[in-house]
Amino acid sequence: MIFSIFGLVMLGLLIFFLVLIARALLKYIYTKDIREERSTVKKSLGEAIKAHRARCKMSQEFVAEAVGVSRQAVSKWELGTSEPSTSNLLALAKLFGISAEELLREVQ
């Protein structure tokens, strides 16, 4: 009898945890659109620069030479440890074939 009560308690706990896991998975699945939207909205200037550089299939070295800075400067911009000057921002936008306004509009 003790074993049967213990077994029922364990079975109840197992069912309880399975229900919690199922609810968590369903919530995760249904919030996929929200998570994707947040990941696109929260974009730093560095991420925007890196995305456009990748879209244009340019290396950091190529961008650096075209803008007139070092490759390390481009790397720092993309990592967010420094920001490009206004003149460099305009040069980047021109290089990527977009306006500086469009580039900055992506940043949140």
Side-chain angles (χ1 to χ4, degrees):
M1 183 161 160
I2 294 175
F3 293 114
S4 64
I5 293 174
F6 180 73
L8 287 174
V9 170
M10 292 304 291
L11 182 62
L13 285 173
L14 179 65
I15 291 172
F16 175 74
F17 285 121
L18 289 176
V19 168
L20 284 179
I21 291 170
R23 289 177 67 192
L25 284 173
L26 286 173
K27 186 172 185 177
Y28 182 78
I29 290 168
Y30 288 128
T31 60
K32 179 182 178 192
D33 295 335
I34 295 169
R35 284 182 283 114
E36 287 175 354
E37 182 180 340
R38 284 184 185 161
S39 68
T40 58
V41 170
K42 291 187 178 181
K43 187 183 266 191
S44 69
L45 179 58
E47 290 171 332
I49 292 170
K50 186 175 183 177
H52 283 289
R53 181 179 62 79
R55 177 185 55 83
C56 295
K57 297 182 173 94
M58 298 177 183
S59 67
Q60 285 183 344
E61 191 171 334
F62 179 82
V63 171
E65 288 177 14
V67 175
V69 296
S70 67
R71 187 203 57 78
Q72 288 82 2
V74 175
S75 176
K76 286 180 180 181
W77 296 341
E78 291 182 359
L79 292 173
T81 56
S82 70
E83 300 283 325
S85 67
T86 305
S87 60
N88 287 337
L89 189 64
L90 293 171
L92 285 170
K94 185 176 181 181
L95 181 64
F96 298 146
I98 59 173
S99 69
E101 190 176 274
E102 287 178 70
L103 184 60
L104 292 173
R105 195 176 300 137
E106 296 176 24
V107 178
Q108 292 294 328

